[in-house]
């Protein structure tokens, strides 16, 4: 067991973890952050995507101990959405554009999209599609996910939708 | 101002944003694996690495002794109350159906079958201990190749004496629905055209994003199961029927479910094991599969060889169609496993007036993962075959493929139309959908570009593929199911409760896993009762709340479940009328209901439905003898299937130097009748297209010679990513269905059914010029390249190698 200290969704946490525990297991099992989901065991699906120190990572591909001292943001901490608070613009765009059906890929897809827009605030359709390549969705055919990222990008520039 | 005055006239047709989104986009979801209960124990499965083997010994001593392990079970520990897994649709009276135990005893029949279960205090401990279970196997010869399996040289189940499970036949001459197909073929051989083909339906994996998960809590008065399932009511029935627990002691809940696509309409060994073990250990238990387990153990789809003979006159009139299928069941007959190809039997004739038809399907047992419904279930296979054949016939005759289709399809004046397969199509307009699709697609311009590139010998050739599909959905009229020996009915149930505060609570027996029932059904009820959309709450997926139901598959939720909802809501209005009349001191006959308000004809007097609900709640002032309730329920049995249709046009660019296929444009015009929510409908079409395109270009469940699934993860099983697909040009036409009140048609499977042949026809259209006649799906760069090379070298261009292995 190793003791780790980190910030998750704005709160300080400290836990003993087994060295082999994955960050996604730590989030779900130790912290009850079940908004972050697990869709595969080969780091292909992206359902588990969170931000570690501001960048999107697949939390099934990071050990909990590697996040020691870091700052993690999950879908649950992306915006102060409890009690009906404002959605993050990317969350709002996913809702507006019907970019989710079953919702299982959605937390990871949103976290990846936020990162993508941070990197490139004005992506082309091809850049969006390439940028989301590591996140699989089985329901939407991606059409509306691409629309949502474009919509969020436009909102970021203060454009009218 | 009444509550209803400020709501829009019609909810139906509005592109309402979904009610279900907020939880899902903020991470407050409730998928089964998120559930944690006090004292919960975890299961891990020990699975066979062999496709077919005798289990000679299992040594679980070390696993049992490991830290935090509570128990290890093998088949020897099970008793009758573990139950068995059922096949609900024996397609013939003499179907050969192996017994499907929840744990393999002395023999395993596919790689992935469960031989032991570890129960531990954590999932990690259970998984670690599973590695310690020592199983000895004696490998047996395995029946793997479908065409070989049907020869019975190697048996998947030696005790059964054959791999042939059932032969299901439909013949239009025998049924009196058409002529004799052999006569048609003979005539066409003498003076016409006969197209003979053999197409391969690749094996697919539904690959829902949420791995299956089950939690069982045995600590209440009712035993509760949460499961990532499409079919909580069917699971409940099957648990009661096979495990001896009375039905009224069982509660099954499908909480948030992360996609299904048919892949979660199963009753599974994993559920049955969790159910039995929870009752042994008297603690809640959970099992969540890994993706790798999901790929090998959750049922697969498709996997057929299709032998086809199409007869036509020289001017392109189809005179007969003969279909001979061989369908792979895998090693067990899944819940509707044998029935899936039979559903296709009614759809090979599609939108065409074919005078003679013969269909035969041989289902076959092999030592592979079981197969069952996958989005479309039988209809994609049928649509693929006929739409490929029509394009091949057009090529043979040198006709435009759309013209050929038009020559043979049912015209819009001819509805209702009884087909050669015996179904009555109620409505449709193939001309309108096609005209509109051609326009959006830019058909003529793309044909011109194709000609230019061909003439220039461009290394990147353009191909245009067509699919004018229809399908039967809205499963299903119970009597028809009875005539097909299906083990249940096809009705659906709904109940509508008017709460004291004026809110409306609706329970539906269909169970959503991404389809947006909460939104679409709220729109229907809001219109029917004249209440605000926001005031309607849709409850589903819990057998204690949605007390009756037959769940979600076969694009049935809206057309069957929605109709039950309409009928229940209408009953509420009828029950409320006498109360309104009483409150308004008018005669019941003088009461009219509109926009949520009961008015007295010719006066301004009226009460809202919410006021009536309040009056019924207090029950202080009701008509004499009236039961104080206006709640209502309805169970609706559809009178017919439902026949959405559409025209799909696909343009692809084929790089003849690499075999790479790139989607250029995809246009579809789908006629799904009246649309409740265009946003949701479009989403269903997009997702369906992606899955159909994936069958054509990317996905393939491949087994090696030892029977191991080699495409057993997302590394090898190519679920397309955003980078593999394009934006779709999706539109709709609308011919309302005549068999339900709202005129709706199913849409859940349409995109998948239509798109696969559109894509493959497009690929072939690009490379036919080199002499290529067929490319087996998925049309990977390697296969496309090989087909072109072989055809150029004077070969037939058929690349069946590697298919079906
Ligand atoms: S769960 Fe992390 S990539 Fe699939
Ligand atoms: S919404 Fe279901 S997987 Fe993306």
């Amino acid at each position: 067991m190793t003791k780790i200290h980190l910030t998750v969704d704005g709160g300080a946490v400290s836990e003993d973890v087994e060295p082999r525990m994955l960050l996604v297991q730590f989030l779900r099992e130790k912290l009850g952050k079940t908004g972050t989901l697990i869709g595969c065991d080969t780091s292909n699906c992206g359902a588990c995507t969170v931000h570690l120190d501001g960048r999107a990572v697949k939390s099934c591909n990071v050990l909990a101990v590697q996040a020691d001292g870091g700052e993690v943001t999950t879908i649950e901490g992306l915006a102060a959405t409890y009690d009906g608070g404002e959605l993050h613009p990317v969350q709002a765009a996913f809702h507006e554009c019907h970019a989710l059906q079953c919702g299982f890929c959605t937390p990871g897809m949103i976290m990846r999209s936020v990162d993508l827009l941070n990197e490139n605030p004005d992506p082309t359709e091809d850049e969006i599609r390439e940028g989301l390549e590591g996140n699989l969705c089985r329901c939407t055919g991606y059409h509306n996910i691409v629309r949502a990222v474009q919509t969020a990008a436009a909102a970021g520039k203060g454009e009218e939708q | 101002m009444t509550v209803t005055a400020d709501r829009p006239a019609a909810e139906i047709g509005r592109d309402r944003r979904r009610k279900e989104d907020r939880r899902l986009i903020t991470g407050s979801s409730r998928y089964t694996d998120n559930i944690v209960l006090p004292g919960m124990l975890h299961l891990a499965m020990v699975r066979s690495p062999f496709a077919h083997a005798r289990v000679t010994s299992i040594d679980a001593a070390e696993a049992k002794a490991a830290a935090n392990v509570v128990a290890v079970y093998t088949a020897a520990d099970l008793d009758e109350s573990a139950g068995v897994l059922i096949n609900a649709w024996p397609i013939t009276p003499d179907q050969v159906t192996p017994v499907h135990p929840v744990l393999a005893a002395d023999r395993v029949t596919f790689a992935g079958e469960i031989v032991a279960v570890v129960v531990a205090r954590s999932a990690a401990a259970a998984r670690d201990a599973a590695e310690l279970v020592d199983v000895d196997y004696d490998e047996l010869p395995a029946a793997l190749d479908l065409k070989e399996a049907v020869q019975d040289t190697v048996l998947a189940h030696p005790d059964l004496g054959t791999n042939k499970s059932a032969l299901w036949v439909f013949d239009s001459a025998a049924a009196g629905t058409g002529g004799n197909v052999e006569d048609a073929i003979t005539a066409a051989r003498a003076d016409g055209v006969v197209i003979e083909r053999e197409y391969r339906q690749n094996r697919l994996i539904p690959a829902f994003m949420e791995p299956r998960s089950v939690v069982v809590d045995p600590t209440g008065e009712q035993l509760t199961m949460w499961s990532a399932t499409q079919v909580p009511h069917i699971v409940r029935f099957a648990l009661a029927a096979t495990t001896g627990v009375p039905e009224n002691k069982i509660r099954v809940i499908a909480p948030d479910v992360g996609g299904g696509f048919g892949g979660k309409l199963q009753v599974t060994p994993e559920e049955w094991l969790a159910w039995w073990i929870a009752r042994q250990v008297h603690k809640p238990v959970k099992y969540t599969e890994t993706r790798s387990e999901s790929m090998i153990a959750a049922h697969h789809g498709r996997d057929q060889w299709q032998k086809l003979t199409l007869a036509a006159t020289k001017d392109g009139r189809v005179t007969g169609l003969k279909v001979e299928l061989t369908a792979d069941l895998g090693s067990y007959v899944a819940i509707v496993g044998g029935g899936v190809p039979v559903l296709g039997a009614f759809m090979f004739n599609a939108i065409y007036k074919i005078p003679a038809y013969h269909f035969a399907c041989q289902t076959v047992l092999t030592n592979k993962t079981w197969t069952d419904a996958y989005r479309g279930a039988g209809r994609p296979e049928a649509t693929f075959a006929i739409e490929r054949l029509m394009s091949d016939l057009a090529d043979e005759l040198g006709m435009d493929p759309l013209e050929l289709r038009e020559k043979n399809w049912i015209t819009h004046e001819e509805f209702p139309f009884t087909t050669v397969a015996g179904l009555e199509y109620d409505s449709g307009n193939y001309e309108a959908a096609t005209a509109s699709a051609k326009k959006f697609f830019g058909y003529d311009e793309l044909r011109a570009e194709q000609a230019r590139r061909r003439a220039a010998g461009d290394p990147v050739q353009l191909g245009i593929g067509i699919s004018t599909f229809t399908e039967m959905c809205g499963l299903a009229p119970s009597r028809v199911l009875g005539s097909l020996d299906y083990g249940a009915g096809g009705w659906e149930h709904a109940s509508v409760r008017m709460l004291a505060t004026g809110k409306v609570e609706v329970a539906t027996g269909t169970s959503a896993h991404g389809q947006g029932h909460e939104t679409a059904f709220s729109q229907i009820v809001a219109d029917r009762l004249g209440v605000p959309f926001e005031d309607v709450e849709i409850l589903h997926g819990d057998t204690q709340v949605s007390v009756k139901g037959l769940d979600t598959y076969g694009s049935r939720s809206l057309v069957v479940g929605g109709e039950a909802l309409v009928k229940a809501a209408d009953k509420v209005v009828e029950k409320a009328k006498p109360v309104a009349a009483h409150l308004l001191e008018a005669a019941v006959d003088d009461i009219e209901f509109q926009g949520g308000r009961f008015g007295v004809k010719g006066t301004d007097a009226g009460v809202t439905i919410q006021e009536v609900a309040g009056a019924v709640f207090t029950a202080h002032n009701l008509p004499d003898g009236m039961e104080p309730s206006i709640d209502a329920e309805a169970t609706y049995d559809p009178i017919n299937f439902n026949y959405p249709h559409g025209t799909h046009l696909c343009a692809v660019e084929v790089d003849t130097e690499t075999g790479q296929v790139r989607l250029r444009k995809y246009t579809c015009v789908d006629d799904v009748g009246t649309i409740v929510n265009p946003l949701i409908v479009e989403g269903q079409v997009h997702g369906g297209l992606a899955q159909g395109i994936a069958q054509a270009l990317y996905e393939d469940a491949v087994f090696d010679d030892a029977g191991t699934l080699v495409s057993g993860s997302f590394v090898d099983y190519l679920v397309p990513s955003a980078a593999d697909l394009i934006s779709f040009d999706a539109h709709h036409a609308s011919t309302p269905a005549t068999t339900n009140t709202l005129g709706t048609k199913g849409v859940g499977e349409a995109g998948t059914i239509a798109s696969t042949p559109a894509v493959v026809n497009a690929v072939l259209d690009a490379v036919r010029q080199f002499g290529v006649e067929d490319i087996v799906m998925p049309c990977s760069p390697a296969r496309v390249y090989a087909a072109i090379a072989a055809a150029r070298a004077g070969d037939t261009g058929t690349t069946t190698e590697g298919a079906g292995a």
Side-chain angles (χ1 to χ4, degrees):
Chain A
M1 290 283 189
T2 316
K3 187 143 205 115
I4 59 171
H5 308 269
L6 63 161
T7 307
V8 178
D9 293 338
V13 298
S14 171
E15 282 278 346
D16 284 323
V17 297
E18 274 191 63
R20 66 170 179 171
M21 180 171 251
L22 302 172
L23 178 58
V24 69
Q25 292 168 327
F26 175 74
L27 293 170
R28 289 178 57 82
E29 294 168 21
K30 293 269 184 185
L31 305 185
K33 296 265 178 194
T34 51
T36 300
L37 301 164
I38 302 172
C40 75
D41 46 10
T42 49
S43 298
N44 284 95
C45 77
C48 62
T49 306
V50 299
H51 293 177
L52 175 58
D53 298 325
R55 290 305 312 267
V57 295
K58 291 181 175 179
S59 62
C60 72
N61 208 16
V62 175
L63 294 169
V65 291
Q66 291 176 294
D68 189 16
E71 193 173 324
V72 174
T73 306
T74 77
I75 189 72
E76 298 174 54
L78 184 62
T81 52
Y82 300 104
D83 306 323
E86 284 267 302
L87 295 170
H88 184 280
V90 174
Q91 288 173 317
F94 268 62
H95 175 58
E96 178 60 26
C97 299
H98 184 36
L100 63 149
Q101 292 180 27
C102 80
F104 201 81
C105 71
T106 310
M109 204 60 93
I110 289 175
M111 297 311 282
R112 175 69 197 118
S113 300
V114 170
D115 189 40
L116 189 151
L117 290 174
N118 284 343
E119 278 246 295
N120 178 359
D122 190 18
T124 63
E125 172 165 352
D126 281 350
E127 285 169 343
I128 294 170
R129 288 184 177 275
E130 295 295 331
L132 296 179
E133 202 177 1
N135 290 66
L136 297 177
C137 173
R138 193 55 157 169
C139 297
T140 63
Y142 305 101
H143 181 108
N144 287 343
I145 292 177
V146 172
R147 291 294 95 78
V149 177
Q150 289 171 329
T151 300
K157 288 184 297 187
E159 279 179 20
E160 273 294 319
Q161 279 313 295
Chain B
M1 195 173 76
T2 66
V3 189
T4 53
D6 58 355
R7 55 170 294 276
E11 279 293 336
I12 291 181
R14 273 188 82 175
D15 57 350
R16 278 280 187 190
R17 300 307 185 267
R18 296 199 321 170
K19 288 185 165 183
E20 36 281 85
D21 286 358
R22 185 159 179 110
R23 284 189 313 109
L24 300 174
I25 56 181
T26 55
S28 36
S29 55
R30 203 156 205 248
Y31 299 99
T32 303
D33 187 55
N34 295 359
I35 296 168
V36 178
L37 298 173
M40 179 178 257
L41 300 172
H42 299 262
L43 311 184
M45 306 298 169
V46 180
R47 295 179 185 273
S48 163
F50 298 111
H52 196 191
R54 205 155 283 294
V55 179
T56 51
S57 73
I58 303 179
D59 180 357
E62 205 184 332
K64 280 182 180 161
N68 293 316
V69 169
V70 173
V72 180
Y73 296 107
T74 66
D77 302 308
L78 299 184
D79 57 27
E80 268 198 352
S81 70
V84 292
L85 298 156
I86 54 166
N87 164 242
W89 191 355
I91 56 174
T92 60
D94 59 352
Q95 172 177 288
V96 173
T97 314
V99 174
H100 190 173
V102 298
L103 269 181
D106 51 350
R107 195 168 56 89
V108 289
T109 66
F110 73 97
E113 188 160 11
I114 306 168
V115 291
V117 196
V118 176
V119 188
R121 290 180 50 230
S122 74
R127 276 196 299 271
D128 286 349
E131 301 276 318
L132 303 175
V133 176
D134 198 7
V135 187
D136 279 331
Y137 299 93
D138 244 352
E139 251 193 287
L140 296 168
L144 295 171
D145 180 81
L146 177 53
K147 284 188 174 179
E148 275 169 37
V150 81
Q151 304 301 325
D152 280 343
T153 39
V154 174
L155 296 181
H157 296 272
D159 51 317
L160 298 177
T162 181
N163 294 326
K164 294 201 267 294
S165 177
L167 176 66
W168 194 93
V169 179
F170 175 87
D171 187 277
S172 64
T177 54
N180 182 311
V181 85
E182 297 301 340
D183 293 348
I185 294 168
T186 308
R189 282 199 206 285
D191 183 30
V193 200
V194 177
I195 304 278
E196 289 170 278
R197 294 286 186 271
E198 188 172 33
Y199 298 141
R200 165 80 186 147
Q201 282 290 325
N202 38 335
R203 187 180 261 255
L204 302 176
I205 301 179
F208 32 76
M209 286 314 295
E210 179 206 19
R212 297 172 307 163
S213 179
V214 56
V215 168
V216 177
D217 183 358
T219 63
E221 190 50 44
Q222 287 83 33
L223 282 77
T224 303
M225 173 187 281
W226 288 262
S227 182
T229 182
Q230 295 172 226
V231 291
H233 294 90
I234 291 172
V235 168
R236 181 193 197 215
F237 169 82
L239 285 171
T242 68
T243 70
V245 180
E247 193 175 356
N248 52 8
K249 288 281 184 194
I250 304 175
R251 177 183 191 185
V252 179
I253 301 172
D256 287 335
V257 175
F261 318 111
K264 288 177 181 166
L265 61 60
Q266 203 51 262
V267 292
T268 70
E270 292 85 356
E271 287 168 331
W272 260 238
L273 283 168
W275 183 247
W276 185 78
I277 290 169
R279 287 178 289 141
Q280 308 306 304
V281 297
H282 305 290
K283 287 283 179 199
V285 302
K286 182 200 281 189
Y287 168 73
T288 300
E289 67 185 358
T290 63
R291 175 59 58 183
S292 310
E293 288 182 290
S294 189
M295 300 298 267
I296 54 169
H299 73 245
H300 294 177
R302 315 278 196 272
D303 203 340
Q304 297 181 354
W305 281 104
Q306 309 179 306
K307 197 162 168 266
L308 305 153
T309 314
L310 184 76
T313 61
K314 280 183 188 146
D315 65 350
R317 217 164 272 288
V318 175
T319 54
L321 173 64
K322 184 175 173 185
V323 177
E324 295 160 281
L325 300 186
T326 316
D328 193 338
L329 293 166
S331 79
Y332 293 109
V333 191
I335 188 159
V336 288
V340 167
V342 172
L343 279 176
F346 303 96
M347 278 293 125
F348 277 85
N349 51 295
I351 65 170
Y352 308 111
K353 293 177 280 189
I354 299 180
Y357 175 53
H358 179 88
F359 172 94
C361 174
Q362 176 69 58
T363 58
V364 181
L365 293 157
T366 61
N367 293 114
K368 290 190 191 169
T369 303
W370 53 350
T371 64
D372 204 324
Y374 169 53
R375 204 167 190 171
R379 292 99 81 209
E381 296 91 314
T383 305
F384 179 84
I386 186 66
E387 289 305 300
R388 285 281 318 270
L389 284 175
M390 292 305 274
S391 288
D392 285 4
L393 176 63
D395 179 62
E396 179 88 15
L397 296 172
M399 280 176 78
D400 179 273
L402 271 176
E403 248 168 64
L404 176 83
R405 283 169 169 82
E406 181 156 17
K407 192 161 200 164
N408 287 283
W409 71 39
I410 303 157
T411 63
H412 70 275
E413 303 93 356
E414 291 175 290
F415 291 97
F417 183 91
T418 302
T419 73
V420 74
L423 296 179
E424 188 184 282
Y425 294 178
D426 63 309
S427 63
N429 189 333
Y430 310 139
E431 301 93 314
T434 302
S436 153
K438 277 180 80 170
K439 186 169 61 81
F440 287 121
F441 187 63
Y443 187 79
D444 297 330
E445 294 83 338
L446 282 163
R447 281 280 183 222
E449 180 185 334
Q450 176 180 44
R452 278 199 305 278
R453 288 202 194 194
R454 210 167 273 188
D458 193 329
V460 179
Q461 288 289 317
L462 190 68
I464 294 170
I466 294 159
S467 169
T468 47
F469 87 106
T470 188
E471 60 137 334
M472 56 189 271
C473 64
L475 305 184
S478 296
R479 279 190 196 172
V480 176
L481 293 179
S483 73
L484 293 170
D485 298 313
Y486 180 69
W491 47 263
E492 196 42 80
H493 182 78
S495 62
V496 177
R497 298 192 280 274
M498 292 300 305
L499 305 183
T501 53
K503 305 280 183 195
V504 186
E505 200 166 61
V506 175
T508 169
T510 68
S511 178
H513 34 281
Q515 296 91 336
H517 289 22
E518 292 163 40
T519 303
F521 284 6
S522 292
Q523 290 179 266
I524 293 174
V525 172
D527 265 4
R528 226 57 207 172
L529 297 180
V531 299
F533 168 78
E534 295 77 13
D535 284 356
V536 184
E537 189 74 11
I538 306 291
L539 311 174
H540 60 85
D542 178 345
T543 61
Q544 229 167 56
V545 174
S546 305
V547 292
K548 279 178 71 159
L550 285 169
D551 308 319
T552 294
Y553 40 84
S555 302
R556 69 190 302 275
S557 290
L558 178 60
V559 296
V560 187
E563 184 70 5
L565 209 59
V566 166
K567 293 203 176 331
D570 289 355
K571 282 188 193 174
V572 169
V573 171
E574 285 314 306
K575 285 174 91 170
K577 263 188 193 160
V579 183
H582 181 77
L583 295 173
L584 293 164
E585 297 177 347
V588 176
D589 287 347
D590 288 336
I591 301 290
E592 356 174 73
F593 181 68
Q594 217 202 350
R597 185 170 180 274
F598 295 90
V600 182
K601 274 181 210 158
T603 75
D604 289 343
V607 286
T608 65
I609 192 165
Q610 291 90 344
E611 286 165 341
V612 173
V616 169
F617 171 70
T618 61
H620 294 165
N621 180 22
L622 295 181
D624 285 344
M626 188 192 154
E627 177 190 9
S629 167
I630 54 170
D631 298 346
E633 50 186 306
T635 307
Y636 170 69
D637 200 346
I639 53 173
N640 192 351
F641 293 96
N642 184 269
Y643 306 98
H645 71 85
T647 297
H648 287 229
L649 300 173
C650 173
V652 299
E653 290 178 351
V654 179
D655 186 331
T656 57
E657 286 167 358
T658 62
Q660 190 78 42
V661 176
R662 204 180 70 83
L663 292 170
R664 161 83 174 271
K665 182 155 193 189
Y666 197 104
T667 299
C668 57
V669 176
D670 286 301
D671 186 338
V672 293
T674 304
I675 289 174
V676 175
N677 183 322
L679 204 63
I680 291 177
V681 163
E682 236 174 72
Q684 287 292 315
V685 171
H686 294 157
L689 292 178
Q691 290 184 15
I693 291 168
Q695 174 173 17
L697 297 180
Y698 304 117
E699 294 179 17
D700 202 9
V702 181
F703 290 81
D704 67 13
D705 292 344
T708 307
L709 179 67
V710 292
S711 51
S713 78
F714 285 153
V715 178
D716 306 291
Y717 189 81
L718 304 179
V719 170
S721 77
D724 298 314
L725 296 172
I726 57 171
S727 288
F728 304 117
D729 182 34
H731 305 269
H732 30 78
S734 178
T735 322
T738 61
T739 53
N740 63 54
T741 310
L742 300 176
T744 57
K745 300 180 184 178
V747 69
E749 298 164 291
T752 304
I753 293 169
S755 57
T756 310
V759 175
V760 176
N761 278 336
V763 174
L764 286 170
D765 188 51
V767 299
R768 260 190 221 279
Q769 53 180 317
F770 308 117
V772 177
E773 282 179 6
D774 187 23
I775 300 172
V776 168
M777 297 187 288
C779 300
S780 60
R783 280 191 182 155
V784 173
Y785 181 81
I788 296 170
R792 278 180 164 156
D795 210 332
T796 63
T798 305
T799 51
T800 50
E801 289 136 66

